[in-house]
Amino acid sequence: MSRHTRTRSGVSRRGFVGFLGAGAASVGIGTVGAAPAAHAAAPGATAATLPAPSSPGYWREVERLFMLDKDILFMNVGTVGSPPREVVETVDRVHREVAAGAISAYSDFPDVRAVAARGYGCDPDELVISHNTSDGMSKILAGLALEEGDEILTTNHEHSGGNVPMAVARDRHGVVIKRVALPVGNRQRAEDYVELFRRAITSRTKALVFSAPTYKTGTMLPIAMLAKLAQDHGLISVVDGAHIPGMMAYDFHELGVDFLAGSAAKWQCGPGGTGILYIRNKVLARYNPNPLPEFWPVVSSGYPAEGGVPPRSDGPTESYDIASDLQTVGNSSLAVMAGVRHVCEVWDRIGRQRIQDHVLGLSAYLKELIVERWGVDSLYSPKDDPRLVCALTSFAPFRDPRDVHDGQKTATLVARLKDEHGIVIRTSDFPVIGSARSHQAVRVSTHLFHQKEDVERVVDAVWELSGDMG
Ligand SMILES: Cc1ncc(COP(=O)(O)O)c(C=O)c1O
């Protein structure tokens, strides 16, 4: 195979000029590489200053970074986040500059990917700013070399963002989808989940595909342990990590997975329509010694039109920048990309570990209060194994156990919570082992713009309403 010439930063010069074409080149070349960096917020330029993290009012000041409607207590970050004011200002400013200058954005955005990759513990050649989790999951599953009879081992608590591209692989290639039934609640340990997957692996299994956390119960499936299981069986690991960016301070290399798709607009609070896509692109023996799986960038205008790419790396240095190929898809949005860069800088400024500690601390407090009022059996989320917890908390809100099947009543409670108490949470429904019918729960997200008082407020309000509704 002839080798394609690439710079160290991964921008394919030949593919790049050929791709732009003569007409676009005069505008586009100036734009590529240079413009996104120029438009992103200069570090600290618009950054609101925060007091010392140890000061008592620290998280109140963090809350002030956000524009959220003060009349509403928004606790549904698992569906969508809210960008900080300074990020909204950056997006707005760049939108205006782009409109005034009719500036194109044919770019692989190396500066934005570099900032994001730093925050997620990986390298820019492994990090793509995608459109959202669903986009990332689709690109992963469509890019794998799956064949008829190959099995994907997944769970019965997946989101359509993962289920749909798996269904396409099934209907298109004859891939077989097998599902592990996930237990719910606080009785499991991380090892139990690994064992469930281990028992379901067959000689036809090609990939483990799982959400961590699951959006239904907020169970953080133990990613590194499941990645190790996959490695031991020579399987590809794919994580639907919709809720990971911005919530968990994970180092993606350390997770040892092959692929992870997440949202940048949920917990990461970036502009709408943004996601984080991680693709293992080098072999770091410490975390995952297995060869890189065959993978094709199915949506790309950066992949070389002639000459192909080098074989994938078998060592600690990438053989080419696969993220660049996936990032380059026609004209992009400088404003949105500047917003992603800026919000990653805000998170890094606050500290990703500090954010994780805060949001998990609030979730732990919420679980304590739920257990006090409703009892531990009302919890669908794990509580005691720290490897399984996250900042999504699901529980059964009614006192009569028969109500766990009443979807209408649960939806009414969520609607009344908004109308009468100004609190936004969501419903969640899922199969439970041993139950013929799905369970209906409510799900609360605790984030960096929340305080302990907000947790107390939502618990009091749900308790009052569920009592009132009988
Ligand atoms: C586990 C999971 N996967 C995928 C998605 C889809 O997310 P996105 O809107 O980023 O595509 C969600 C959305 O809530 C989710 O919870």
Side-chain angles (χ1 to χ4, degrees):
M1 186 194 288
S2 69
R3 299 294 161 99
H4 193 70
T5 314
R6 280 166 187 257
T7 63
R8 184 72 179 81
S9 73
V11 177
S12 161
R13 301 213 180 277
R14 199 174 62 180
F16 162 87
V17 174
F19 156 63
L20 282 170
S26 57
V27 177
I29 282 177
T31 305
V32 173
H39 285 281
T46 55
T49 45
L50 287 167
S54 54
S55 64
Y58 180 76
W59 290 104
R60 281 279 173 215
E61 290 303 320
V62 169
E63 188 179 348
R64 287 200 185 92
L65 299 179
F66 292 85
M67 306 170 65
L68 278 157
D69 182 349
K70 298 284 175 286
D71 294 335
I72 298 283
L73 172 54
F74 181 75
M75 302 190 98
N76 188 17
V77 185
T79 296
V80 71
S82 170
R85 183 186 315 278
E86 62 193 83
V87 172
V88 174
E89 283 165 3
T90 290
V91 174
D92 183 50
R93 173 174 54 79
V94 179
H95 258 314
R96 288 169 190 280
E97 289 169 10
V98 165
I103 306 166
S104 67
Y106 290 94
S107 176
D108 65 347
F109 295 95
D111 65 310
V112 182
R113 290 190 291 124
V115 169
R118 187 184 64 205
Y120 298 120
C122 63
D123 299 326
D125 60 284
E126 302 169 306
L127 204 284
V128 182
I129 308 304
S130 61
H131 294 302
N132 48 42
T133 318
S134 309
D135 178 53
M137 289 298 287
S138 294
K139 285 171 177 162
I140 295 166
L141 284 153
L144 293 175
L146 295 171
E147 292 172 3
E148 185 172 357
D150 287 348
E151 290 176 7
I152 291 178
L153 183 56
T154 185
T155 85
N156 64 339
H157 284 183
E158 296 307 308
H159 190 276
S160 55
N163 276 333
V164 169
M166 283 192 272
V168 171
R170 180 196 61 208
D171 298 346
R172 181 179 179 197
H173 299 299
V175 167
V176 176
I177 300 169
K178 296 206 164 166
R179 294 183 192 270
V180 167
L182 292 180
V184 300
N186 188 41
R187 292 198 189 88
Q188 290 68 235
R189 290 174 54 74
E191 288 77 9
D192 300 330
Y193 289 98
V194 178
E195 194 48 33
L196 283 173
F197 277 88
R198 186 195 311 282
R199 275 195 253 128
I201 292 172
T202 75
S203 59
R204 303 304 304 263
T205 309
K206 280 284 169 329
L208 296 193
V209 179
F210 57 92
S211 296
T214 67
Y215 79 109
K216 292 179 178 294
T217 64
T219 301
M220 180 59 82
L221 292 181
I223 302 177
M225 292 168 78
L226 288 168
K228 180 72 173 57
L229 178 74
Q231 290 168 27
D232 290 347
H233 289 80
L235 310 179
I236 301 162
S237 48
V238 179
V239 179
D240 175 342
H243 303 274
I244 286 174
M247 180 209 278
M248 306 302 287
Y250 286 160
D251 177 310
F252 288 0
H253 279 162
E254 286 179 7
L255 294 177
V257 297
D258 290 307
F259 301 92
L260 187 150
S263 169
K266 296 181 189 288
W267 303 81
Q268 183 57 81
C269 294
T274 58
I276 299 293
L277 170 57
Y278 167 76
I279 301 156
R280 187 167 72 101
N281 197 37
K282 59 199 66 170
V283 179
L284 302 173
R286 194 165 153 213
Y287 305 121
N288 187 344
N290 287 10
L292 301 178
E294 181 176 336
F295 181 69
W296 297 92
V298 288
V299 180
S300 172
S301 49
Y303 182 83
E306 299 291 339
V309 290
R312 298 198 73 191
S313 169
D314 58 5
T317 307
E318 67 274 18
S319 59
Y320 67 100
D321 185 343
I322 199 163
S324 168
D325 288 352
L326 279 149
Q327 192 69 65
T328 310
V329 186
N331 186 37
S332 191
S333 169
L334 289 172
V336 167
M337 293 300 278
V340 172
R341 174 181 167 154
H342 193 153
V343 83
C344 285
E345 288 168 342
V346 173
W347 254 238
D348 292 343
R349 182 165 19 114
I350 297 170
R352 289 180 181 272
Q353 187 62 49
R354 186 170 291 121
I355 293 170
Q356 178 184 312
D357 292 346
H358 181 75
V359 305
L360 263 53
L362 290 179
S363 171
Y365 183 49
L366 171 60
K367 288 171 187 173
E368 253 178 58
L369 297 184
I370 291 168
V371 170
E372 259 174 46
R373 299 268 175 104
W374 284 268
V376 72
D377 287 341
S378 70
L379 266 183
Y380 292 106
S381 311
K383 181 173 81 68
D384 294 332
D385 185 338
R387 297 167 298 178
L388 298 177
V389 299
C390 75
L392 286 170
T393 301
S394 293
F395 68 104
F398 296 111
R399 301 153 203 200
D400 182 340
R402 285 169 302 186
D403 286 339
V404 294
H405 300 301
D406 196 336
Q408 188 52 53
K409 192 166 174 177
T410 312
T412 303
L413 182 141
V414 167
R416 283 187 60 185
L417 193 67
K418 178 162 187 222
D419 293 345
E420 296 169 27
H421 295 266
I423 303 175
V424 176
I425 61 172
R426 65 158 282 180
T427 57
S428 172
D429 66 294
F430 40 83
V432 169
I433 295 169
S435 172
R437 292 157 67 201
S438 285
H439 279 220
Q440 309 288 332
V442 294
R443 190 188 79 182
V444 180
S445 304
T446 45
H447 206 15
L448 77 172
F449 38 66
H450 295 134
Q451 322 293 333
K452 277 182 90 174
E453 298 77 56
D454 297 325
V455 170
E456 290 158 4
R457 197 177 138 198
V458 69
V459 168
D460 285 345
V462 174
W463 181 253
E464 185 191 313
L465 270 179
S466 64
D468 185 50
M469 292 171 72

